[in-house]
Amino acid sequence: GPMSGAGSISVDGSTGYESGALSQSQPTANGTYGVGIWFKAASGVDGPLFGFSNSSSDGGGPADRILYLTATGTLRFVYVNNHAATSATPASYTNNVWHFAYVTMRPTNPGATVTIAVDGTTVVTDIVTFNLMSYSGYWHVGWSPTTQGNPTDHFAGSLSDFVVFNTSPA
């Protein structure tokens, strides 16, 4: 893992982010999938660890699947393109230590179960009434539009080993 910080990126909170080069379909229609990332953030940092949108850079249009740090250092996950987000995690993670966050989405039609696990422990489980959206787009690491509720569009801190699974690794 990136506990040493090897292979991680650091972003400055104003300009830097990584974006996927290839468009992919949201794998929501037929089953569970999950996304995860290692992150390290200092006290007072907020903003998106990752997100998904139909634009390869920025701009309007659908954007969701956004995992972001709140102003108090807790995590929330935007799961549909209308600002709808999970409950916040009970703990704060802006302590300048590497953490691994993993979000799982299980469509139940209608709705879904969305969980957030941090460092191997599930800390949020929300039953949502929205059907998860499915559209082609791009993953962004360290950036997501503020129109979906995350407090800033750029994250300031370190990120490593962003992963997307079409099933839960647990």
Side-chain angles (χ1 to χ4, degrees), residues 7 9 15 22 25 45 72 75-76 79 93 100 111 126 129 139-140 156 170:
I9 63 168
T15 57
L22 298 174
S25 293
V45 167
T72 56
L75 290 168
R76 294 186 76 189
Y79 50 81
Y93 300 101
F100 183 68
D126 283 3
T129 57
W139 289 103
H140 304 280

Side-chain angles (χ1 to χ4, degrees), residues 77-89:
F77 181 72
V78 176
Y79 50 81
V80 73
N81 183 44
N82 67 353
H83 307 206
T86 62
S87 311
T89 58

Side-chain angles (χ1 to χ4, degrees), residues 11 37-50 66-78 86 88-89 91-97 99 101 116 118 142 144 146 149-159:
V11 286
I37 197 164
W38 284 92
F39 70 97
K40 183 170 72 169
S43 178
V45 167
D46 58 14
L49 305 181
F50 61 77
I66 302 162
L67 183 66
Y68 71 90
L69 281 167
T70 70
T72 56
T74 62
L75 290 168
R76 294 186 76 189
F77 181 72
V78 176
T86 62
T89 58
S92 170
Y93 300 101
T94 47
N95 57 357
N96 235 12
V97 172
H99 296 284
I116 302 174
V118 181
S144 205
T146 55
N150 51 294
T152 56
D153 57 4
H154 288 86
F155 172 73
S158 298
L159 300 165

